[in-house]
């Protein structure tokens, strides 16, 4: 009761000013909220678009990697099949029961298969000397073969009491 008396008119006008200020602040805040929401939505869409792009790139590169692996697998499989075939063919001279020999141009024996060793044993010759299976004039025959246009010759010659039929293939690259 001892407090000074409140001016009702002045209080009412201050309340009106405060109410208008509050309404303006709320309106400004709502505009700010809308702007922030719009900004957030725009950035969210940009992030989704970017993630979709990255997912697309990952899918594309995964597909390309799968194709590369598939193609590489095909070539590796073909290479391994070729290696197996070459190995199988390389075993042909080793498993052939007939003598198979590889000669240098001067008649030196470079390779003799086990069939050659068996034949030398049957002849009673030294198994370490496969040249015993060839005629004495082998060097001259090889020189004629090399100088001729033919790359294949058939010889018959005798070793001991046996007659041998011999085919010689001249290979320029070997």
């Amino acid at each position: 009761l001892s407090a000074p008396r409140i001016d009702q008119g002045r209080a009412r006008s201050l309340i009106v000013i405060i109410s208008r200020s509050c309404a303006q602040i709320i309106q400004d805040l709502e505009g700010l909220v809308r702007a922030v929401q719009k900004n957030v939505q725009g950035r969210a869409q940009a992030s989704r678009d970017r993630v979709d792009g990255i997912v697309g790139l990952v899918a594309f590169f995964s597909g390309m990697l799968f194709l590369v692996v598939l193609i590489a697998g095909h070539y590796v499989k073909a290479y391994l099949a070729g290696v197996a075939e070459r190995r199988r063919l390389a075993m042909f001279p080793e498993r052939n029961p007939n003598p198979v020999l590889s000669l240098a141009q001067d008649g030196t024996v470079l390779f003799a298969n086990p069939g050659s060793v068996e034949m030398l044993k049957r002849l009673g010759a030294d198994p370490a000397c496969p040249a015993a299976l060839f005629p004495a004039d082998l060097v001259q025959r090889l020189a004629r073969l090399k100088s001729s246009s033919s790359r294949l010759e058939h010889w018959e010659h005798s070793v001991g009491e046996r007659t041998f039929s011999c085919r010689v293939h001249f290979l320029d690259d070997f």
Side-chain angles (χ1 to χ4, degrees):
L1 293 173
S2 63
R5 219 178 143 135
I6 297 176
D7 181 5
Q8 295 286 331
R10 172 119 172 99
R12 203 173 285 123
S13 68
L14 284 175
I15 290 175
V16 169
I17 292 172
I18 291 172
S19 293
R20 286 183 189 152
S21 294
C22 284
Q24 184 62 40
I25 290 172
I26 289 172
Q27 187 179 5
D28 290 345
L29 285 175
E30 285 174 352
L32 187 59
V33 166
R34 282 192 298 276
V36 168
Q37 284 177 336
K38 185 177 177 182
N39 189 5
V40 166
Q41 287 173 350
R43 288 185 182 219
Q45 185 60 43
S47 295
R48 279 192 294 275
D49 292 345
R50 195 166 190 186
V51 167
D52 289 345
I54 290 170
V55 167
L57 282 174
V58 167
F60 173 75
F61 283 115
S62 295
M64 294 305 293
L65 183 61
F66 177 74
L67 286 176
V68 167
V69 167
L70 194 64
I71 291 168
H74 170 73
Y75 282 109
V76 166
K77 183 179 176 183
Y79 173 77
L80 292 176
V83 166
E85 180 66 12
R86 285 189 295 280
R87 182 177 291 140
R88 187 182 67 75
L89 290 173
M91 292 303 296
F92 175 75
E94 288 291 325
R95 293 182 177 169
N96 192 337
N98 298 315
V100 176
L101 295 106
S102 176
L103 304 174
Q105 290 184 15
D106 65 357
T108 306
V109 176
L110 302 174
F111 168 80
N113 73 338
S116 302
V117 174
E118 288 300 317
M119 182 62 71
L120 288 164
K121 287 179 184 176
R122 280 189 260 153
L123 291 172
D126 180 12
C129 184
L133 295 174
F134 294 108
D137 63 343
L138 175 67
V139 175
Q140 290 81 16
R141 289 184 188 207
L142 290 175
R144 279 194 307 270
L145 177 61
K146 182 180 176 188
S147 64
S148 76
S149 62
S150 174
R151 292 298 176 224
L152 172 67
E153 280 200 22
H154 183 109
W155 302 330
E156 286 193 9
H157 63 281
S158 296
V159 176
E161 296 177 3
R162 295 186 183 214
T163 301
F164 284 91
S165 176
C166 177
R167 288 197 177 113
V168 178
H169 300 268
F170 181 75
L171 303 173
D172 292 323
D173 55 342
F174 289 102

